[in-house]
Amino acid sequence: MSFNIDWETIKQNGLCNTTIKKKLNTYLKDNGSSILPKYINNASIELIDIGDVSPELSLKNISDPISSIYDSIKTDLIEEWNLKNGMLNTYMETDFNLTPNKLDSQLIVDLKYTGNFQMVMKADLSVNYPSENFITLPLKLHISDLKIHSLILVAYLHNIQLKITEKKRQKQSNRNKTSSESDFTKEKENNLNKDDQNSETPNNKTIFTILCDVKDDTIESDTIVTNLSQMKNTSNISLNTETQNINENNNYSANNHINNNQTERSYFIRNISIKTEIGEGILPGSDKSILRNIQDLELMIVELLRKFIRDEICYPNWIEFDI
Amino acid sequence: MSFVFDSAVFQSGELETLLKDKLNGLLTNNNDTDTTKAGNISSTKSHGHISASDNNVFVKNISFNNKPPIIDILGMSILDSIVTKSSSDNENEFFSNSINHQTNDNKTVKTIVKLVIENFKIELKSDIESNLLLVYGGKNIDRFLLPDFVCNESFNIPINLTFTNCKLETILDLNYDIGSNVKMNFNDVNIAFEFDCSIPLLSSSIKQRLINNVDFIFKEVIPNAILDMSMKYMSKKKSGNNISQSEVLSNEFSSIISNDEISVTDDDCISTQQLLSYDEQETETASPVTMMKLSSIAAKRFSLSLRNFEEDDSVLERSNLSKILSKKTLKLSKLVESQNQLSTPNINSNTIYEATKAINVLPLSNSMIIDEKLTEQIADLQEMLHESTLRRNGTTKKFKRRKIKLNLNKTNEQSESLQKDEILKPVIVEKNIDEIVSPTVTSNEKISIKKLVFEKEKTEPISSFEIEKPLNLVGLRSDSSLLNSSKLSSNGSFILNSLPLAHNISTPSTPNGLMMTRSMTPLLFNDNSKTSSLPLVDSVKPMIQMNWKKNSMSTETDTSSKHDNKISINLDKTADSKGAVQNSYNASLDFTYKKLLEKTPLKNWVQTPSYLDNFAEVNGNGPYFGGKKTTSSLNLNPYKIDHAHERSLNDMLQNLQVAPPPYS
């Protein structure tokens, strides 16, 4: 089941680009100092264009959430319970059970984007010694040719409740050795919500994660063609179609930034083109020199971006939204 | 690519002061260290080399003349590895370090920088050793010619060295090991300066000696100083490691200004790991060449991981690492039994195979069903790959699950509206009413009027009031027509609108009422004569209807339908011939009526009877519209105003809210 996205309505004849740009600039202005490293200042979006092509969303499956999600939430709830109750009662045996809700569901969505998204970002790399912004290096990034094709997992858990069964055992007393009643178990069942203070309100969670990348011939063929054309221009790489190792040659490409020396479980951004301009010359009215298209720097930026995404939202890491 | 310097720092002199203090501190420390070691300053002096610490150099002044230096990066490259292997065939052979790609710690930024500093000035203060007697103590003089010196000790003469109009232009290699250090190598140096010292005799010799030592300064002194500073700065960021080990190292390595090289043997490999971290106490370090060798040894260590011997984890041979990793990537593709055929129209199939094999992708076709089982398998595989990556990098942190709390409050269903139910609220301003209308209206009657107004408002909502559009006369409020705030505010004066009042006073000749406003003032009279876009009087239902039929209630709807509010005026056309009493009574009424009018805005009309001709019909003449203009004065005698209705007449006038004529 695929979704049709009315991209024209979203675009609003370019109004969407303006709105997104304003919001991002406002966010960077307010929170840039806390989010970005200290050596990056004055980050702003100069241009953003969501393009003419909408992403392709296709719903592949609707099912119950996978067991690892329940295990993770159960672990979090147990830790929270232990923090609250401590380890005072050493004689307590507790059983924790997380029962799935009927409304729990999981969506597997195939996301593909091969549009003409563009973005131009500006920032200053600064040396804050001996004073703040003593030396600044203006930097401009042109981001384009973004290609994505991945499976996304979205899970919804309704009214999460952890059932706690406490079993208390008393030591056999000396007086009643023969009595079978000396050993008794007291079962106390508690239902623990994620947030006890708001036990009346249902505790719902939405989990968003990128499950894996999907093989896409169109994306891969485009990148290989680009690599081949670039490899022909480089003089220090020998072309041998039979034995060439793309793993090594990809390091010198500008468009396909997949570093195959270290194969990762997912990349998410399959292809991206980043063109850099560094130097005082990018400032308006300046006649200074500009350094353009530093491939190694672009590769590093792409790797940093991929690493960030992989650590944040690629399975088994995910984002939980508490609703 | 040029850097941008903060010009304010140069103009304020902060940088110069800081540089001076730093240099003096460094020179002072070195001087103290040397004195404690050597015990004698002069003994450490070596020929042909200037040893700053020996001569007690002190920086007196540094000046950039408000002009920052120019730093241009001519080229830049970023390498994954810091390993450099020097051999006879290949000077630089780079090996990829496949272990730690998750961070940039093993990356090196190599740049070629052009540095230009112009119009730079520096003043140094020092002591120069002087012994005039040693002039005669040369080697070429025979011994028997030498006199017996009673005292042959040297003495220090202070000297000031001034370097002005200095210009430095150089191209240097600047290598930045991320998180480690900064190395500098000058390739091409052009330096020019004007030298002056306080002892002119020695100026030329000192200058020559300085020129001879420039190579040493730029090849050894400055690079060592930069390396030392960078390592100190970056080691502060890292966690404090091995303070005791730094003390051990400080005894092993030489000082900054020294030509002695350190030979690193295999026995020192264990301590090489500690070289990467320094603390504040460490003041001595190795030369750049030594550091390079040590770092290469440390980096090679990562390729020989001996933690686990499992095949899936780490390898003993670096060359096989990529093959083993690629085997893992095939597992994801093997999950799907049916795979699409690779279509390669113009490209060699081997290249695509290599590409897909290297990337961990799932072959997904349109017909393929992703069921729960497949999802679980994919999730398990991804988890396994993640754990193996963590183990390879030596980290223990397992998963990262960011939690975001969303407070989705229901939006208040307030009609943001104030959407203005297009009911036009009446603008009843009592004060204004009092000003215009007779003040004799009592409060009770005021209240009654208000009530009437609001009731009307509820029942008959009125469309938005616009000046340009013709009013819907039905249900129009008289009080809103004249005293509409918009009109008052826009005009700033009381000007009658050209629209008729809802209230009409009927006359015997015009029982249906007439357009009183149009006959009020000459201005309106002129306007009225020109345009008559409004419907005729006949279509207007009078709000106050005069009952010409012996005060009987009118059947027509009237806003003042209540008995209390009904204004009934008995206005007979003809004089009552029934009696003189009646006449006298009428005359008294006339007089009373005149008096009444004098209190109203109509008083001017009493004085100017010509305009009063436009006022209600007199003596049976038809309505004024299109009627003849009478020149007779207002004769109110024909109108028999009942004494009982005097009050109601006041009410009527109040309701009319007749504005005084502009000429008043």
Side-chain angles (χ1 to χ4, degrees), chain B residues 86-132:
Chain B
S86 60
S87 65
S88 60
D89 295 329
N90 296 319
E91 287 188 358
N92 293 321
E93 184 178 352
F94 295 99
F95 295 95
S96 62
N97 190 344
S98 60
I99 297 298
N100 200 2
H101 280 273
Q102 299 217 345
T103 62
N104 289 322
D105 288 344
N106 60 337
K107 291 189 187 297
T108 301
V109 180
K110 289 196 169 185
T111 58
I112 301 174
V113 179
K114 179 183 175 184
L115 174 64
V116 176
I117 305 176
E118 292 178 344
N119 204 9
F120 173 74
K121 179 185 175 183
I122 183 169
E123 283 185 38
L124 300 175
K125 179 185 173 184
S126 179
D127 294 327
I128 193 163
E129 187 181 3
S130 176
N131 191 340
L132 295 174

Short mmCIF file of all heavy atoms in Angstrom, two decimals, chain B residues 86-132:
data_model
loop_
_atom_site.label_atom_id
_atom_site.label_comp_id
_atom_site.label_asym_id
_atom_site.label_seq_id
_atom_site.Cartn_x
_atom_site.Cartn_y
_atom_site.Cartn_z
N SER B 86 58.06 5.27 5.76
CA SER B 86 59.09 5.77 4.86
C SER B 86 59.95 4.62 4.38
O SER B 86 60.41 3.78 5.15
CB SER B 86 59.95 6.80 5.59
OG SER B 86 60.56 6.21 6.71
N SER B 87 60.12 4.53 3.13
CA SER B 87 60.97 3.49 2.56
C SER B 87 61.70 4.07 1.36
O SER B 87 61.46 5.20 0.97
CB SER B 87 60.14 2.27 2.15
OG SER B 87 59.27 2.65 1.12
N SER B 88 62.53 3.30 0.80
CA SER B 88 63.30 3.83 -0.31
C SER B 88 62.42 4.04 -1.53
O SER B 88 62.65 4.93 -2.32
CB SER B 88 64.44 2.85 -0.65
OG SER B 88 63.90 1.59 -0.98
N ASP B 89 61.45 3.18 -1.72
CA ASP B 89 60.61 3.28 -2.91
C ASP B 89 59.48 4.29 -2.72
O ASP B 89 59.26 5.16 -3.54
CB ASP B 89 60.00 1.91 -3.26
CG ASP B 89 61.07 0.91 -3.65
OD1 ASP B 89 62.09 1.35 -4.20
OD2 ASP B 89 60.87 -0.27 -3.40
N ASN B 90 58.76 4.15 -1.66
CA ASN B 90 57.61 5.03 -1.43
C ASN B 90 57.82 5.76 -0.12
O ASN B 90 57.90 5.14 0.94
CB ASN B 90 56.32 4.23 -1.36
CG ASN B 90 56.00 3.55 -2.67
OD1 ASN B 90 56.18 4.14 -3.73
ND2 ASN B 90 55.57 2.30 -2.60
N GLU B 91 57.86 7.05 -0.23
CA GLU B 91 58.07 7.81 0.99
C GLU B 91 56.83 7.79 1.87
O GLU B 91 56.89 7.70 3.08
CB GLU B 91 58.43 9.24 0.63
CG GLU B 91 59.83 9.36 0.07
CD GLU B 91 60.22 10.81 -0.10
OE1 GLU B 91 59.37 11.67 0.18
OE2 GLU B 91 61.34 11.07 -0.52
N ASN B 92 55.72 7.90 1.23
CA ASN B 92 54.47 7.90 2.00
C ASN B 92 53.59 6.76 1.53
O ASN B 92 53.10 6.76 0.41
CB ASN B 92 53.72 9.22 1.81
CG ASN B 92 54.48 10.37 2.42
OD1 ASN B 92 55.06 10.23 3.48
ND2 ASN B 92 54.50 11.49 1.73
N GLU B 93 53.39 5.79 2.37
CA GLU B 93 52.49 4.69 2.05
C GLU B 93 51.43 4.64 3.11
O GLU B 93 51.70 4.46 4.30
CB GLU B 93 53.28 3.36 2.02
CG GLU B 93 52.42 2.19 1.59
CD GLU B 93 53.21 0.90 1.52
OE1 GLU B 93 54.44 0.97 1.66
OE2 GLU B 93 52.59 -0.15 1.38
N PHE B 94 50.21 4.83 2.66
CA PHE B 94 49.15 4.97 3.64
C PHE B 94 48.38 3.68 3.75
O PHE B 94 47.98 3.08 2.78
CB PHE B 94 48.19 6.08 3.21
CG PHE B 94 48.84 7.44 3.20
CD1 PHE B 94 49.30 7.98 2.01
CD2 PHE B 94 49.01 8.13 4.38
CE1 PHE B 94 49.91 9.21 2.01
CE2 PHE B 94 49.63 9.37 4.36
CZ PHE B 94 50.08 9.91 3.18
N PHE B 95 48.14 3.29 4.97
CA PHE B 95 47.33 2.11 5.23
C PHE B 95 46.03 2.58 5.85
O PHE B 95 46.02 3.49 6.65
CB PHE B 95 48.05 1.16 6.20
CG PHE B 95 49.30 0.60 5.62
CD1 PHE B 95 50.53 1.19 5.90
CD2 PHE B 95 49.27 -0.53 4.82
CE1 PHE B 95 51.69 0.66 5.38
CE2 PHE B 95 50.43 -1.05 4.29
CZ PHE B 95 51.65 -0.45 4.56
N SER B 96 45.01 1.93 5.47
CA SER B 96 43.74 2.34 6.03
C SER B 96 43.57 1.69 7.38
O SER B 96 43.78 0.49 7.55
CB SER B 96 42.60 1.93 5.11
OG SER B 96 42.57 0.53 4.97
N ASN B 97 43.21 2.47 8.28
CA ASN B 97 42.94 1.97 9.63
C ASN B 97 41.46 1.69 9.72
O ASN B 97 40.64 2.58 9.83
CB ASN B 97 43.37 3.03 10.65
CG ASN B 97 43.33 2.47 12.05
OD1 ASN B 97 42.73 1.45 12.29
ND2 ASN B 97 44.02 3.14 12.95
N SER B 98 41.10 0.45 9.67
CA SER B 98 39.69 0.12 9.57
C SER B 98 39.02 -0.07 10.91
O SER B 98 37.88 -0.46 10.99
CB SER B 98 39.53 -1.17 8.75
OG SER B 98 40.22 -2.23 9.39
N ILE B 99 39.75 0.18 11.94
CA ILE B 99 39.18 -0.10 13.25
C ILE B 99 38.28 1.04 13.69
O ILE B 99 37.11 0.86 13.97
CB ILE B 99 40.31 -0.30 14.29
CG1 ILE B 99 41.16 -1.52 13.91
CG2 ILE B 99 39.71 -0.46 15.67
CD1 ILE B 99 40.40 -2.81 13.88
N ASN B 100 38.85 2.19 13.70
CA ASN B 100 38.15 3.27 14.38
C ASN B 100 37.63 4.30 13.38
O ASN B 100 38.11 5.40 13.31
CB ASN B 100 39.09 3.93 15.39
CG ASN B 100 38.30 4.70 16.42
OD1 ASN B 100 37.08 4.70 16.38
ND2 ASN B 100 38.99 5.37 17.30
N HIS B 101 36.65 3.88 12.60
CA HIS B 101 36.07 4.84 11.67
C HIS B 101 34.91 5.59 12.30
O HIS B 101 34.34 6.47 11.69
CB HIS B 101 35.57 4.12 10.42
CG HIS B 101 36.68 3.82 9.46
ND1 HIS B 101 37.09 4.71 8.51
CD2 HIS B 101 37.48 2.74 9.33
CE1 HIS B 101 38.09 4.18 7.80
NE2 HIS B 101 38.34 3.00 8.29
N GLN B 102 34.55 5.16 13.46
CA GLN B 102 33.40 5.80 14.06
C GLN B 102 33.76 7.14 14.65
O GLN B 102 32.91 7.95 14.94
CB GLN B 102 32.83 4.90 15.15
CG GLN B 102 32.37 3.58 14.60
CD GLN B 102 31.13 3.09 15.28
OE1 GLN B 102 30.76 3.58 16.32
NE2 GLN B 102 30.48 2.10 14.70
N THR B 103 35.01 7.38 14.87
CA THR B 103 35.43 8.69 15.34
C THR B 103 36.46 9.23 14.38
O THR B 103 36.92 8.54 13.48
CB THR B 103 36.04 8.60 16.75
OG1 THR B 103 37.20 7.77 16.67
CG2 THR B 103 35.05 8.00 17.71
N ASN B 104 36.82 10.47 14.58
CA ASN B 104 37.81 11.08 13.70
C ASN B 104 39.16 11.15 14.37
O ASN B 104 39.99 11.96 13.99
CB ASN B 104 37.33 12.49 13.33
CG ASN B 104 36.14 12.43 12.39
OD1 ASN B 104 36.11 11.58 11.53
ND2 ASN B 104 35.19 13.31 12.58
N ASP B 105 39.36 10.35 15.40
CA ASP B 105 40.61 10.48 16.13
C ASP B 105 41.80 10.07 15.30
O ASP B 105 42.92 10.49 15.59
CB ASP B 105 40.55 9.63 17.40
CG ASP B 105 39.61 10.24 18.41
OD1 ASP B 105 39.26 11.42 18.24
OD2 ASP B 105 39.21 9.54 19.36
N ASN B 106 41.60 9.23 14.31
CA ASN B 106 42.75 8.79 13.54
C ASN B 106 42.85 9.55 12.22
O ASN B 106 43.45 9.07 11.28
CB ASN B 106 42.65 7.28 13.28
CG ASN B 106 41.38 6.97 12.50
OD1 ASN B 106 40.43 7.74 12.52
ND2 ASN B 106 41.36 5.87 11.81
N LYS B 107 42.25 10.67 12.14
CA LYS B 107 42.31 11.45 10.92
C LYS B 107 43.33 12.56 11.06
O LYS B 107 43.53 13.11 12.14
CB LYS B 107 40.94 12.04 10.59
CG LYS B 107 39.92 11.00 10.18
CD LYS B 107 38.67 11.65 9.66
CE LYS B 107 37.60 10.61 9.40
NZ LYS B 107 37.96 9.66 8.38
N THR B 108 43.92 12.86 9.94
CA THR B 108 44.93 13.93 9.89
C THR B 108 44.52 14.92 8.83
O THR B 108 44.23 14.54 7.69
CB THR B 108 46.31 13.35 9.55
OG1 THR B 108 46.67 12.37 10.54
CG2 THR B 108 47.37 14.44 9.54
N VAL B 109 44.51 16.16 9.20
CA VAL B 109 44.21 17.23 8.26
C VAL B 109 45.53 17.84 7.82
O VAL B 109 46.27 18.40 8.64
CB VAL B 109 43.31 18.30 8.91
CG1 VAL B 109 43.01 19.41 7.92
CG2 VAL B 109 42.03 17.68 9.43
N LYS B 110 45.81 17.68 6.56
CA LYS B 110 47.07 18.21 6.02
C LYS B 110 46.76 19.43 5.19
O LYS B 110 45.92 19.41 4.29
CB LYS B 110 47.76 17.17 5.16
CG LYS B 110 48.33 16.01 5.94
CD LYS B 110 49.32 15.22 5.10
CE LYS B 110 50.08 14.24 5.95
NZ LYS B 110 51.13 13.55 5.21
N THR B 111 47.45 20.51 5.48
CA THR B 111 47.19 21.75 4.78
C THR B 111 48.50 22.38 4.34
O THR B 111 49.55 22.16 4.96
CB THR B 111 46.43 22.75 5.66
OG1 THR B 111 47.19 22.99 6.84
CG2 THR B 111 45.06 22.22 6.04
N ILE B 112 48.40 23.14 3.29
CA ILE B 112 49.52 23.97 2.85
C ILE B 112 49.08 25.41 3.06
O ILE B 112 48.08 25.85 2.48
CB ILE B 112 49.87 23.71 1.38
CG1 ILE B 112 50.24 22.24 1.20
CG2 ILE B 112 51.02 24.60 0.93
CD1 ILE B 112 50.46 21.86 -0.26
N VAL B 113 49.81 26.12 3.86
CA VAL B 113 49.39 27.44 4.32
C VAL B 113 50.41 28.47 3.86
O VAL B 113 51.62 28.24 3.93
CB VAL B 113 49.25 27.47 5.86
CG1 VAL B 113 48.86 28.85 6.34
CG2 VAL B 113 48.23 26.43 6.32
N LYS B 114 49.88 29.59 3.45
CA LYS B 114 50.73 30.74 3.13
C LYS B 114 50.51 31.78 4.22
O LYS B 114 49.39 32.20 4.49
CB LYS B 114 50.36 31.30 1.77
CG LYS B 114 51.18 32.52 1.38
CD LYS B 114 50.71 33.07 0.04
CE LYS B 114 51.45 34.35 -0.28
NZ LYS B 114 50.96 34.97 -1.53
N LEU B 115 51.59 32.18 4.83
CA LEU B 115 51.51 33.12 5.96
C LEU B 115 52.24 34.39 5.59
O LEU B 115 53.40 34.35 5.16
CB LEU B 115 52.14 32.49 7.21
CG LEU B 115 52.27 33.38 8.45
CD1 LEU B 115 50.91 33.79 8.97
CD2 LEU B 115 53.05 32.65 9.54
N VAL B 116 51.57 35.51 5.75
CA VAL B 116 52.17 36.80 5.44
C VAL B 116 51.91 37.72 6.63
O VAL B 116 50.77 37.94 7.01
CB VAL B 116 51.57 37.42 4.15
CG1 VAL B 116 52.16 38.80 3.92
CG2 VAL B 116 51.82 36.52 2.96
N ILE B 117 53.01 38.20 7.19
CA ILE B 117 52.91 39.19 8.27
C ILE B 117 53.69 40.41 7.84
O ILE B 117 54.90 40.31 7.55
CB ILE B 117 53.47 38.65 9.59
CG1 ILE B 117 52.79 37.33 9.97
CG2 ILE B 117 53.29 39.66 10.71
CD1 ILE B 117 53.37 36.69 11.21
N GLU B 118 53.01 41.54 7.80
CA GLU B 118 53.66 42.75 7.31
C GLU B 118 53.69 43.80 8.41
O GLU B 118 52.82 43.85 9.28
CB GLU B 118 52.90 43.29 6.09
CG GLU B 118 53.01 42.39 4.88
CD GLU B 118 52.20 42.92 3.70
OE1 GLU B 118 51.34 43.78 3.92
OE2 GLU B 118 52.45 42.49 2.57
N ASN B 119 54.71 44.65 8.31
CA ASN B 119 54.83 45.81 9.19
C ASN B 119 54.76 45.41 10.65
O ASN B 119 54.01 45.98 11.44
CB ASN B 119 53.72 46.81 8.85
CG ASN B 119 54.12 48.20 9.26
OD1 ASN B 119 55.26 48.44 9.64
ND2 ASN B 119 53.18 49.12 9.18
N PHE B 120 55.52 44.43 10.98
CA PHE B 120 55.55 43.88 12.33
C PHE B 120 56.77 44.44 13.07
O PHE B 120 57.83 44.64 12.47
CB PHE B 120 55.63 42.36 12.21
CG PHE B 120 55.83 41.64 13.50
CD1 PHE B 120 54.79 41.53 14.40
CD2 PHE B 120 57.06 41.09 13.82
CE1 PHE B 120 54.98 40.86 15.59
CE2 PHE B 120 57.25 40.44 15.01
CZ PHE B 120 56.22 40.32 15.90
N LYS B 121 56.60 44.72 14.33
CA LYS B 121 57.69 45.34 15.10
C LYS B 121 57.84 44.58 16.41
O LYS B 121 56.85 44.21 17.04
CB LYS B 121 57.36 46.80 15.36
CG LYS B 121 58.41 47.54 16.18
CD LYS B 121 57.92 48.95 16.48
CE LYS B 121 58.89 49.64 17.41
NZ LYS B 121 58.42 51.00 17.78
N ILE B 122 59.11 44.38 16.78
CA ILE B 122 59.37 43.72 18.05
C ILE B 122 60.62 44.34 18.67
O ILE B 122 61.59 44.64 17.97
CB ILE B 122 59.53 42.18 17.88
CG1 ILE B 122 59.72 41.50 19.25
CG2 ILE B 122 60.65 41.82 16.92
CD1 ILE B 122 59.61 39.99 19.20
N GLU B 123 60.54 44.52 19.96
CA GLU B 123 61.68 45.07 20.69
C GLU B 123 62.11 44.06 21.75
O GLU B 123 61.28 43.57 22.53
CB GLU B 123 61.30 46.37 21.39
CG GLU B 123 61.23 47.56 20.46
CD GLU B 123 60.95 48.85 21.22
OE1 GLU B 123 61.48 49.01 22.34
OE2 GLU B 123 60.18 49.66 20.68
N LEU B 124 63.37 43.78 21.77
CA LEU B 124 63.91 42.83 22.74
C LEU B 124 64.92 43.55 23.63
O LEU B 124 65.61 44.47 23.21
CB LEU B 124 64.60 41.66 22.02
CG LEU B 124 63.74 40.82 21.09
CD1 LEU B 124 64.59 39.80 20.37
CD2 LEU B 124 62.62 40.14 21.84
N LYS B 125 64.95 43.06 24.83
CA LYS B 125 65.93 43.61 25.78
C LYS B 125 66.76 42.45 26.29
O LYS B 125 66.22 41.41 26.67
CB LYS B 125 65.19 44.30 26.92
CG LYS B 125 66.09 44.89 27.99
CD LYS B 125 65.25 45.43 29.13
CE LYS B 125 66.16 45.87 30.26
NZ LYS B 125 65.38 46.31 31.44
N SER B 126 68.03 42.66 26.28
CA SER B 126 68.87 41.56 26.71
C SER B 126 70.17 42.11 27.30
O SER B 126 70.36 43.32 27.39
CB SER B 126 69.17 40.64 25.52
OG SER B 126 70.01 39.58 25.91
N ASP B 127 71.02 41.21 27.68
CA ASP B 127 72.34 41.57 28.18
C ASP B 127 73.36 40.94 27.27
O ASP B 127 73.23 39.79 26.84
CB ASP B 127 72.55 41.06 29.61
CG ASP B 127 71.62 41.73 30.59
OD1 ASP B 127 71.31 42.92 30.36
OD2 ASP B 127 71.17 41.07 31.53
N ILE B 128 74.33 41.71 26.99
CA ILE B 128 75.38 41.17 26.14
C ILE B 128 76.68 41.12 26.96
O ILE B 128 77.00 42.04 27.71
CB ILE B 128 75.55 42.03 24.86
CG1 ILE B 128 76.42 41.30 23.86
CG2 ILE B 128 76.08 43.41 25.18
CD1 ILE B 128 76.32 41.85 22.46
N GLU B 129 77.32 40.02 26.79
CA GLU B 129 78.57 39.86 27.56
C GLU B 129 79.68 40.64 26.89
O GLU B 129 79.88 40.57 25.68
CB GLU B 129 78.92 38.37 27.62
CG GLU B 129 80.10 38.08 28.55
CD GLU B 129 80.42 36.61 28.56
OE1 GLU B 129 79.77 35.86 27.81
OE2 GLU B 129 81.34 36.22 29.28
N SER B 130 80.36 41.33 27.71
CA SER B 130 81.40 42.18 27.14
C SER B 130 82.67 42.05 27.97
O SER B 130 82.62 42.00 29.19
CB SER B 130 80.92 43.63 27.12
OG SER B 130 81.97 44.47 26.66
N ASN B 131 83.75 41.96 27.28
CA ASN B 131 85.05 41.94 27.93
C ASN B 131 86.05 42.55 26.95
O ASN B 131 86.52 41.90 26.03
CB ASN B 131 85.45 40.51 28.29
CG ASN B 131 86.65 40.48 29.21
OD1 ASN B 131 87.42 41.44 29.29
ND2 ASN B 131 86.83 39.38 29.89
N LEU B 132 86.32 43.82 27.16
CA LEU B 132 87.19 44.51 26.21
C LEU B 132 88.59 43.91 26.20
O LEU B 132 89.28 43.94 25.20
CB LEU B 132 87.26 45.99 26.55
CG LEU B 132 85.92 46.75 26.40
CD1 LEU B 132 86.06 48.18 26.89
CD2 LEU B 132 85.46 46.72 24.96
#
